[in-house]
Amino acid sequence: MLEVDRLSAFYGPAQALFDVSLHVKAGEFVVLQGLNGAGKSTLLKAVMGMEVKTRGAIRYGRDAAADVDVDVDISRWETHRRAKAGLGYVAEDRRLFTSLTVLENLTVVARGDAASKAQVARVLDLFPVLKTMLKRPAAHMSGGEQQMLAIARTLMTQPQLLLLDEPCEGIAPVLVESIRDALLALRASGITLLVAEQNQLLAASADRLVRLVAGTVSAS
Ligand code: ATP
């Protein structure tokens, strides 16, 4: 599904990743661990084609029957092309439209047809708490609720591979459990997950842990 091969990443002259290699199999739930500054966010941004310059290969494929060949090197693709090919990304800061309501945040990325309505219903089933606050502006939600909304909004694009940056950081334990349950339900539905996260509850549910230390993979 995803193979990162000797990937280096740079912010201008500053190098943040050094020859990182890892793979995520289709349907796997992989948690990326590491201390602050280890390069977790940078790796997700590099896979999504955002903010950093990279060297090395990022091979991705949905499946043999899809319109993207397996194992295509997407490292030079624009972000929107990667999104169209099935990559979904939720940034650490969530990037919600805070003046829009929950429902508006979901529908703003949809086309407004019947298929979109069905998709809204599907993502709300994953996060039942959002159903109780459809008309609430995102600015008036807790951090955990906002995180769920950010994941739900990205799911509106029907990604095959979901990249999440610290979804549980600073979130109440009960909502961490809800997020974990939603991620497990997504995995059960066939979505592949690569999640940067320090929270042990999430790590305990992962198929595999990959540890980054100072921009390199130290253990998998
Ligand atoms: P955190 O949990 O604190 O986000 P992280 O493991 O996600 O940590 P990154 O944010 O990927 O780590 O940072 C990796 C390295 O890249 C760090 O040395 C950081 O200072 C540097 N870095 C991150 N963003 C930028 C930026 N916009 N410009 C320059 N350097 C950056």
Side-chain angles (χ1 to χ4, degrees):
M1 170 59 90
L2 177 72
E3 188 182 12
V4 172
D5 188 7
R6 283 167 294 164
L7 188 75
S8 294
F10 305 83
Y11 294 96
Q15 188 166 356
L17 296 179
F18 301 81
D19 282 333
V20 166
S21 295
L22 64 91
H23 69 276
V24 183
K25 289 186 213 144
E28 237 186 343
F29 174 13
V30 174
V31 165
L32 200 54
Q33 295 188 308
L35 299 176
N36 289 347
K40 305 181 296 297
S41 302
T42 303
L43 179 57
L44 297 185
K45 286 175 189 166
V47 171
M48 204 58 208
M50 297 167 72
E51 290 180 44
V52 282
K53 288 218 157 28
T54 60
R55 196 176 60 212
I58 302 169
R59 287 186 277 272
Y60 167 75
R62 284 194 289 195
D63 60 48
D67 56 340
V68 175
D69 292 338
V70 283
D71 295 330
V72 167
D73 184 358
I74 62 167
S75 62
R76 304 266 76 85
W77 289 16
E78 296 287 339
T79 301
H80 64 86
R81 192 173 170 202
R82 300 185 201 202
K84 215 169 161 202
L87 272 68
Y89 168 70
V90 181
E92 204 169 359
D93 61 11
R94 302 173 194 134
R95 299 181 194 177
L96 291 168
F97 302 107
T98 50
S99 62
L100 298 188
T101 65
V102 168
L103 190 59
E104 287 166 344
N105 265 282
L106 295 177
T107 52
V108 79
V109 291
R111 290 188 305 275
D113 55 16
S116 302
K117 274 192 183 156
Q119 183 61 7
V120 168
R122 270 197 295 275
V123 301
L124 288 175
D125 277 343
L126 273 177
F127 299 106
V129 72
L130 296 180
K131 284 187 197 173
T132 67
M133 51 183 79
L134 288 177
K135 293 191 173 161
R136 189 179 299 184
H140 298 170
M141 300 164 78
S142 76
E145 291 158 358
Q146 287 189 353
Q147 186 63 54
M148 291 180 190
L149 179 56
I151 297 171
R153 186 182 59 177
T154 294
L155 290 173
M156 288 297 295
T157 66
Q158 297 183 272
Q160 300 296 306
L161 170 62
L162 192 55
L163 309 166
L164 303 180
D165 199 353
E166 307 228 36
C168 301
E169 196 189 19
I171 286 176
V174 62
L175 293 186
V176 170
E177 285 178 20
S178 301
I179 289 174
R180 180 215 39 208
D181 293 346
L183 298 187
L184 291 176
L186 287 171
R187 182 185 59 176
S189 75
I191 292 180
T192 307
L193 297 154
L194 177 59
V195 183
E197 184 58 68
Q198 297 291 26
N199 189 294
Q200 289 308 315
L201 187 73
L202 217 59
S205 301
D207 295 316
R208 204 150 49 81
L209 306 176
V210 174
R211 174 161 286 277
L212 283 182
V213 175
T216 61
V217 172
S218 88
S220 176

